[in-house]
Amino acid sequence: MRTLTSRVTVRRLPERAVYDRAVIDAILDEALICHVGFVHDGHPFVIPTIHGRDGDRLYLHGSSASRMLRELGRGIPVCITVTLLDGIVLARSAFHHSMNYRSVVVLGTADEVRDRNEQLRALEVISEHVIPGRWAEVRHPNERELRQTRILRIGLDEASAKIRSGGPKDDEGDLALPVWGGVFPVQLVARAPLPDDHVPTQVGLPEYLRHHRLRADGDA
Amino acid sequence: MRTLTSRVTVRRLPERAVYDRAVIDAILDEALICHVGFVHDGHPFVIPTIHGRDGDRLYLHGSSASRMLRELGRGIPVCITVTLLDGIVLARSAFHHSMNYRSVVVLGTADEVRDRNEQLRALEVISEHVIPGRWAEVRHPNERELRQTRILRIGLDEASAKIRSGGPKDDEGDLALPVWGGVFPVQLVARAPLPDDHVPTQVGLPEYLRHHRLRADGDA
């Protein structure tokens, strides 16, 4: 399950590179969104979107009218990057400031998913990626909605992760400076859910929102 | 200060598009990182990095050895995208689920900054973008460090924002379903700073960390 093509080999700071699929998968699964890069008329475009992973397959979805999805579905090269920010690293020198992060870069080409069963499976995977437990409760897509949706599949053959963690790496000569050094941890968290005006009174807050992985602060 | 070239015109869901520079600037300034897209050997690459804005100029920086910065410095086309996630939007149908977000896409070409004064200004802008107040305290870059750093400047002439906010837009016929609907707000927050082992005892936690914009939860 390891892949190492020259294209996907991390060049800068290779000591931060990880090619272990379990690590790559965990980063892909934790990130709520990805950034999709593609080339149009020779110019790069980078668009944020939601993804979902099913084993070795990464799924994207969106409107059938989306230019990005239409072009990607033709099999042009794509780069999908996800980034989790873990902290700001404060060194004594401006030069050694850094970020702690976990990122994944996936290179490849996309295929459009045309099989109805795989389409539904992909939509379930994306939904369960964002909010595990939600799919069983909501109204599933009908034929009209499926026709309005384009779904793309990208393999994870060319994927690499890059990770920085830990404190600042100051120059020895700077360590005695009277400057605070360390890590300022950052984290994406979910706040208390806000129901809209149409939730029937007998419908309480679902357990899967109460215990979502982003509810680290416990303000249920 | 409004720009509207055909390349940067938002095509999908144009009602979400914003070309107001004040809105664009606020999103760029709030986001800790951006995703930089460029083309190499015909393939798109998307790499996360830190940015800083000084008026109409966006600055990127990194190692002189960085392939991405070296290539971008030659003036090849670039796309810089920042995305702020504000919430997960839960509709009664799978189809109408969405995300609340604020994103900016900047298209253009980069110039390498070679003037020492602008280099130092750019590094200050990037530092103050991430942690306002920090620059005045740390050891500034010396000549050797500046030689190891490449700084790029990109204009904001071709920039657009895209924003979604508010609750789900369900089909009328789904509103009576016994399914929770609303917004699950998400937010990037900073946790209590973690000093390393070299902070002198007389150096306390800086005020600029205590009151950083990401310290929304007050756990100082």
Side-chain angles (χ1 to χ4, degrees):
Chain A
M1 299 297 285
R2 282 165 47 99
T3 62
L4 236 174
T5 71
S6 72
R7 268 201 321 189
V8 84
T9 305
V10 173
R11 287 176 174 77
R12 274 297 303 155
L13 304 176
E15 71 277 13
R16 294 186 187 168
V18 182
Y19 302 97
D20 182 330
R21 264 296 301 281
V23 174
I24 290 168
D25 290 355
I27 295 169
L28 290 171
D29 294 351
E30 183 175 337
L32 279 187
I33 62 160
C34 63
H35 281 80
V36 179
F38 61 102
V39 185
H40 177 76
D41 283 350
H43 203 290
F45 288 85
V46 179
I47 305 290
T49 192
I50 308 175
H51 61 283
R53 186 185 63 84
D54 189 19
D56 293 336
R57 299 168 166 196
L58 204 58
Y59 288 113
L60 305 180
H61 82 308
S63 166
S64 300
S66 154
R67 177 183 66 164
M68 173 178 84
L69 294 180
R70 193 172 56 238
E71 298 209 1
L72 289 179
R74 292 181 184 136
I76 62 172
V78 62
C79 176
I80 299 172
T81 299
V82 309
T83 307
L84 299 166
L85 268 185
D86 292 326
I88 305 170
V89 182
L90 289 86
R92 280 79 185 169
S93 61
F95 185 74
H96 283 297
H97 279 67
S98 189
M99 289 277 197
N100 282 340
Y101 63 92
R102 289 165 291 149
S103 67
V104 164
V105 171
V106 178
L107 302 179
T109 55
D111 286 313
E112 184 170 341
V113 175
R114 295 175 188 277
D115 174 76
R116 274 283 183 269
N117 288 331
E118 189 178 350
Q119 286 177 343
L120 283 166
R121 170 71 184 148
L123 293 172
E124 177 179 353
V125 161
I126 292 168
S127 175
E128 291 294 295
H129 163 69
V130 178
I131 306 179
R134 182 72 175 167
W135 186 256
E137 226 175 56
V138 295
R139 179 177 66 68
H140 288 186
N142 57 34
E143 273 300 309
R144 183 181 50 79
E145 291 168 340
L146 285 173
R147 278 197 304 274
Q148 291 173 27
T149 306
R150 197 183 306 268
I151 297 164
L152 302 180
R153 179 184 54 222
I154 299 103
L156 293 176
D157 311 307
E158 287 193 80
S160 63
K162 207 166 168 184
I163 297 175
R164 191 205 187 280
S165 60
K169 292 177 181 152
D170 275 294
D171 292 344
E172 198 66 29
D174 291 332
L175 285 175
L177 291 174
V179 177
W180 191 95
V183 174
F184 194 37
V186 300
Q187 187 185 2
L188 189 72
V189 300
R191 298 307 192 183
L194 306 167
D196 69 8
D197 296 335
H198 305 286
V199 181
T201 48
Q202 76 274 17
V203 174
L205 184 66
E207 278 300 303
Y208 52 75
L209 290 186
R210 213 181 288 277
H211 301 295
H212 191 278
R213 65 182 185 273
L214 296 179
R215 297 300 298 281
D217 51 350
D219 59 350
Chain B
M1 299 297 286
R2 282 165 48 99
T3 63
L4 235 175
T5 71
S6 70
R7 268 201 321 188
V8 84
T9 304
V10 173
R11 286 176 174 78
R12 274 297 303 153
L13 304 177
E15 70 277 13
R16 294 186 187 168
V18 182
Y19 302 97
D20 182 331
R21 264 295 301 282
V23 173
I24 290 168
D25 289 354
I27 295 170
L28 290 171
D29 294 351
E30 184 175 336
L32 279 187
I33 61 160
C34 64
H35 282 81
V36 179
F38 61 102
V39 186
H40 177 77
D41 282 349
H43 204 290
F45 288 85
V46 179
I47 305 291
T49 191
I50 309 175
H51 61 283
R53 186 185 63 84
D54 189 20
D56 294 336
R57 299 169 166 195
L58 204 58
Y59 287 113
L60 305 179
H61 82 308
S63 165
S64 299
S66 154
R67 177 184 67 163
M68 174 179 84
L69 294 180
R70 193 173 54 238
E71 299 210 1
L72 288 179
R74 291 181 183 138
I76 63 171
V78 62
C79 176
I80 300 172
T81 299
V82 309
T83 307
L84 299 166
L85 269 185
D86 292 327
I88 305 170
V89 181
L90 289 86
R92 280 79 185 169
S93 61
F95 185 74
H96 282 298
H97 278 68
S98 189
M99 289 278 197
N100 282 339
Y101 63 91
R102 289 164 291 149
S103 67
V104 164
V105 171
V106 178
L107 302 179
T109 55
D111 286 312
E112 185 171 340
V113 175
R114 296 177 188 275
D115 174 76
R116 274 284 182 268
N117 288 331
E118 188 178 350
Q119 285 177 343
L120 282 166
R121 170 71 184 146
L123 293 172
E124 177 180 353
V125 161
I126 292 169
S127 175
E128 290 294 294
H129 164 69
V130 178
I131 306 179
R134 182 71 175 167
W135 186 256
E137 225 175 56
V138 295
R139 178 176 67 68
H140 288 185
N142 57 34
E143 272 300 309
R144 182 181 51 80
E145 291 169 340
L146 285 174
R147 278 196 304 273
Q148 290 174 27
T149 305
R150 197 183 307 268
I151 297 164
L152 302 180
R153 178 185 53 222
I154 299 104
L156 293 176
D157 310 308
E158 287 194 78
S160 64
K162 207 166 170 185
I163 297 175
R164 192 205 186 279
S165 59
K169 291 177 180 150
D170 275 295
D171 291 345
E172 197 67 29
D174 292 330
L175 284 176
L177 291 174
V179 177
W180 192 94
V183 174
F184 194 37
V186 300
Q187 186 186 1
L188 189 72
V189 300
R191 298 305 192 185
L194 304 168
D196 69 9
D197 295 335
H198 305 287
V199 182
T201 49
Q202 76 275 17
V203 173
L205 185 66
E207 279 299 305
Y208 53 75
L209 290 186
R210 213 180 288 277
H211 301 296
H212 192 278
R213 65 182 185 274
L214 296 179
R215 298 299 299 279
D217 50 351
D219 59 348

